[in-house]
Amino acid sequence: MSGTAAAGNGKGYDSIMKILLIGDSGVGKSCLLVRFVEDKFNPSFITTIGIDFKIKTVDINGKKVKLQLWDTAGQERFRTITTAYYRGAMGIILVYDVTDERTFSNVKQWFKTVNEHANDEAQLLLVGNKSDMDTRVVTYEQGESLAKELGLPFIESSAKNDDNVNEIFFTLAKLIQEKIDSNKLAGPGNGKDANISINAKDGGSKSNCC
Amino acid sequence: MSKAICAFGNCGCSIINLNDDKIIQLPGTIFETLHLMQRKQSADIKEGSTTSFLITEDVWDFDNIGVSKDLMPGISEELNSRANTNTEVSFQHDGNLWYIKKCEKYLICGDCDRGPIGMVCMISQQDDQERRAYLLSLGSLLCKDK
């Protein structure tokens, strides 16, 4: 274990990370966060209310890391995801649906939006969801190729497979922890939340087509 | 130190470390009022009985937890309407008397999503400013020694 000050914070964890799920409506972002199967322990009123966020604790190389995972809660329908939502986010999961070409082609638009609003040091991850469906239209190779073009790590997932979903959060947390350890990413609340776009090549262009 | 873990099926998800200083007593009728899940079906909640909750103002105290969106009107109406009639649910904590002014959200297991196993409330001392607190129902969970 490397000697971070966190061990002495009395809080019982080494790091906390705010992580956002971003992407078109219907790509299954919520399903990556919750799996509401109705049974006698799971009354429908909870399903109807929906989830704001979850906290999950993972072990990254012996460090106790707490993740706070946020869904966009349908705001993406109206492209009204506010800057406040991005504030302090250390990780962003860009999700598309492998059975829906349109959600895949919109990834670049989301990538641009994220770069405009999020902390420029936030770690991104591209996720092709619903990989268990036989109605797939976007191949693994296409996803991998886009990820490479955007310079992002890439995972395919199926919300039906819990291990796979946990793998997404674990992978992202590990990448963020590595950044923290190399002091590239400071924690939230350090005043680095300004809207700095790293996307210089898109400089000035604000066209939001879709 | 012992832990509160999810009691449903084989879940056993670690919810939070227990801390005696943060345990409060609420009326046993709260299960019914707020439709909270119970570890065992207790038809034996007697008039005047109490049930344990763990209270914290820091959501990062939880190891694994799900927090719902705001409750729709109706679900916690009975509790919230008490605030208007000055018959709020009250509890002792840190040597002070606190009142539950409003129930805003539910807590569910961070792993299997079952619940509700607690709630997010606005609480206050008499005439003092309201604060947000997370109230976890220990009667909805199992306790395990580490």
Side-chain angles (χ1 to χ4, degrees), chain B residues 93-141:
Chain B
H93 176 50
D94 270 351
N96 294 304
L97 184 62
W98 293 83
Y99 296 89
I100 297 181
K101 310 299 281 190
K102 189 171 189 285
C103 179
E104 289 188 325
K105 296 161 188 280
Y106 275 135
L107 303 177
I108 60 169
C109 172
D111 220 1
C112 75
D113 302 327
R114 292 190 173 111
I117 55 173
M119 59 278 183
V120 184
C121 294
M122 296 306 291
I123 60 166
S124 80
Q125 296 179 36
Q126 198 69 54
D127 298 327
D128 201 5
Q129 210 175 2
E130 292 184 8
R131 318 180 181 191
R132 179 166 293 113
Y134 299 83
L135 278 73
L136 184 70
S137 162
L138 299 181
S140 307
L141 301 163

Side-chain angles (χ1 to χ4, degrees), chain A residues 69-121:
Chain A
L69 306 158
W70 289 83
D71 184 12
T72 44
Q75 291 181 80
E76 73 278 1
R77 285 171 205 277
F78 314 103
R79 300 259 166 189
T80 53
I81 301 174
T82 57
T83 303
Y85 178 69
Y86 290 97
R87 192 162 296 138
M90 298 163 83
I92 293 168
I93 302 173
L94 284 173
V95 190
Y96 68 91
D97 173 354
V98 301
T99 70
D100 186 345
E101 171 73 39
R102 192 181 147 81
T103 66
F104 181 65
S105 50
N106 281 340
V107 165
K108 283 190 183 176
Q109 182 62 42
W110 282 115
F111 180 74
K112 199 177 143 203
T113 307
V114 165
N115 280 328
E116 281 166 8
H117 293 281
N119 179 338
D120 57 3
E121 284 164 339

Side-chain angles (χ1 to χ4, degrees), chain B residues 7-145:
Chain B
F8 296 111
N10 300 321
C11 182
C13 172
S14 163
I15 306 288
I16 200 167
N17 283 335
L18 292 173
N19 176 343
D20 287 345
D21 297 340
K22 292 187 172 178
I23 291 176
I24 59 166
Q25 298 298 318
L26 293 181
T29 50
I30 198 108
F31 283 113
E32 203 178 325
T33 312
L34 289 175
H35 313 279
L36 298 178
M37 286 292 159
Q38 283 177 261
R39 192 172 52 231
K40 35 182 191 213
Q41 280 308 318
S42 39
D44 57 340
I45 289 181
K46 297 180 188 75
E47 197 70 24
S49 71
T50 63
T51 183
S52 300
F53 277 71
L54 184 138
I55 185 169
T56 178
E57 290 184 29
D58 185 0
V59 75
W60 292 108
D61 281 353
F62 291 98
D63 284 336
N64 296 284
I65 197 79
V67 179
S68 82
K69 296 189 203 305
D70 288 343
L71 301 189
M72 293 164 291
I75 288 184
S76 59
E77 208 168 290
E78 186 182 332
L79 188 84
N80 292 347
S81 68
R82 284 171 177 236
N84 303 325
T85 53
N86 291 320
T87 54
E88 294 113 320
V89 173
S90 63
F91 59 91
Q92 288 285 338
H93 176 50
D94 270 351
N96 294 304
L97 184 62
W98 293 83
Y99 296 89
I100 297 181
K101 310 299 281 190
K102 189 171 189 285
C103 179
E104 289 188 325
K105 296 161 188 280
Y106 275 135
L107 303 177
I108 60 169
C109 172
D111 220 1
C112 75
D113 302 327
R114 292 190 173 111
I117 55 173
M119 59 278 183
V120 184
C121 294
M122 296 306 291
I123 60 166
S124 80
Q125 296 179 36
Q126 198 69 54
D127 298 327
D128 201 5
Q129 210 175 2
E130 292 184 8
R131 318 180 181 191
R132 179 166 293 113
Y134 299 83
L135 278 73
L136 184 70
S137 162
L138 299 181
S140 307
L141 301 163
L142 287 172
C143 294
K144 192 178 134 192
D145 288 324

